Amino acid sequence: MAEPRVVVPLRRREEKRGAERFEMELPLTVANGQGGITRDVSLSGLSFTSRQPYVVGEHIDLTVDYLLDGHSFPLRCEAVVVRCEPADGGFTVGAKLTTAFLE
């Protein structure tokens, strides 16, 4: 399994989002048992890759597996799907957080 990576903030001058986004590849699980990998994360939302599509407006429970110094910190949150687009081998899903990361 590849090491998760964290890169530089993804901030563009024309950006309309209020919170700074960070490119992060971390494993995540949706409450329905489906897995995915985050693409970017911010205080207000995240995007991730998935093998299954989600419906815009759908409420989902997510757990992001954050690994720090060899310890796993499962970060749970609730989110609403704001976009779902076909991508290579699956879908890119954008979700707005409705609760902060817990745990």
Side-chain angles (χ1 to χ4, degrees), residues 69-82:
D69 294 331
H71 295 87
S72 176
F73 296 92
L75 304 172
R76 294 182 341 209
C77 65
E78 296 172 353
V80 175
V81 175
V82 295

Side-chain angles (χ1 to χ4, degrees), residues 6-24:
V6 178
V7 187
V8 295
L10 298 172
R11 192 77 161 156
R12 295 181 183 92
R13 189 173 298 170
E14 69 277 0
E15 190 71 60
K16 293 181 182 178
R17 292 174 177 86
E20 193 168 36
R21 293 185 299 156
F22 295 89
E23 184 179 334
M24 302 179 88

Side-chain angles (χ1 to χ4, degrees), residues 4-54:
R5 69 183 176 97
V6 178
V7 187
V8 295
L10 298 172
R11 192 77 161 156
R12 295 181 183 92
R13 189 173 298 170
E14 69 277 0
E15 190 71 60
K16 293 181 182 178
R17 292 174 177 86
E20 193 168 36
R21 293 185 299 156
F22 295 89
E23 184 179 334
M24 302 179 88
E25 291 180 351
L26 301 170
L28 68 78
T29 306
V30 181
N32 63 10
Q34 296 294 319
I37 301 291
T38 63
R39 294 183 50 174
D40 61 66
V41 178
S42 77
L43 288 173
S44 60
L46 55 85
S47 70
F48 63 95
T49 58
S50 172
R51 291 185 188 196
Q52 82 170 54
Y54 289 87

Side-chain angles (χ1 to χ4, degrees), residues 55-97:
V55 177
V56 172
E58 181 177 356
H59 291 260
I60 54 176
D61 294 325
L62 301 168
T63 302
V64 176
D65 190 21
Y66 184 73
L67 188 64
L68 179 64
D69 294 331
H71 295 87
S72 176
F73 296 92
L75 304 172
R76 294 182 341 209
C77 65
E78 296 172 353
V80 175
V81 175
V82 295
R83 67 181 169 79
C84 184
E85 302 165 346
D88 292 338
F91 299 87
T92 299
V93 181
K96 180 178 179 176
L97 300 181

